[in-house]
Amino acid sequence: HAVAMVNGTAALFMILHAMGIGKGSAVITQALSFAATANAVAQTGAVPFFVDVDQDTFGMSPVALDAFLHEQCEVTDEGVTHKATGLKIGAVMPMHTFGMPSRIKQTRSICDQWGLPMVEDAAESLGSFIDKRHTGTFGYAAALSFNGNKPVTTGGGGMVLTNDDELAEKAR
């Protein structure tokens, strides 16, 4: 499914909102990103938690994500929760920075191990590939942006990408 939105930030917000992420939740994202990534999390009422990026991709470091989860989180009856705050981790949201794909397959593997959905912020990577597969197709959902500074632009706009029928219907 591809659901048109007013911009990439709205696409990120809509994905998180449709997933039920809000107050009492947290989303793990990366420290190096455009403000929209964390703003979309905050707009839902959730709290963004930041992990480091890899120096060569500027994308979320799977090593940093794995360390964060092992050191600061635990599996409870509620799901994965942050030990210090009790917040439920609702999703992991890596971003492909400046069109450079992050180590998304490794990140997805960690998410699968912890039972966490991965939402790709692919706003800057439309047209980028990993092993002949488009970025934005590795997670539960992804957001694209068509802002004037993006690889493919319409002057504005965004898109929710997902294979999940229910999420697509909620986004519409």
Side-chain angles (χ1 to χ4, degrees):
H1 301 276
V3 182
M5 296 283 140
V6 68
N7 56 42
T9 307
L12 289 170
F13 167 79
M14 185 55 64
I15 292 166
L16 298 174
H17 178 71
M19 291 172 68
I21 294 171
K23 189 172 183 170
S25 301
V27 174
I28 302 169
T29 191
Q30 61 192 59
L32 176 66
S33 182
F34 182 68
T37 309
N39 285 348
V41 174
Q43 188 179 7
T44 68
V47 175
F49 287 142
F50 300 100
V51 298
D52 207 352
V53 298
D54 284 328
Q55 188 174 4
D56 59 338
T57 68
F58 302 123
M60 181 181 285
S61 167
V63 172
L65 173 63
D66 191 58
F68 179 88
L69 288 167
H70 279 97
E71 294 167 10
Q72 298 191 38
C73 298
E74 62 187 350
V75 178
T76 67
D77 292 339
E78 299 296 315
V80 179
T81 58
H82 185 250
K83 292 177 191 176
T85 64
L87 294 172
K88 181 181 177 190
I89 306 296
V92 173
M93 192 160 54
M95 178 199 164
H96 303 287
T97 309
F98 303 132
M100 295 187 302
S102 67
R103 290 186 170 79
I104 203 69
K105 292 200 279 186
Q106 293 91 331
T107 301
R108 173 66 190 262
S109 177
I110 293 165
C111 289
D112 290 348
Q113 290 169 20
W114 284 80
L116 292 169
M118 184 178 72
V119 175
E120 286 178 83
D121 181 342
E124 294 184 3
S125 69
L126 186 60
S128 296
F129 293 86
I130 300 168
D131 296 332
K132 299 183 181 180
R133 186 170 164 187
H134 284 280
T135 55
T137 64
F138 290 86
Y140 174 68
L144 300 177
S145 174
F146 307 119
N147 192 31
N149 65 336
K150 300 301 189 274
V152 174
T153 181
T154 59
M159 189 76 61
V160 170
L161 303 178
T162 186
N163 287 324
D164 186 272
D165 296 337
E166 186 178 338
L167 181 100
E169 185 59 33
K170 286 179 180 178
R172 284 186 187 93

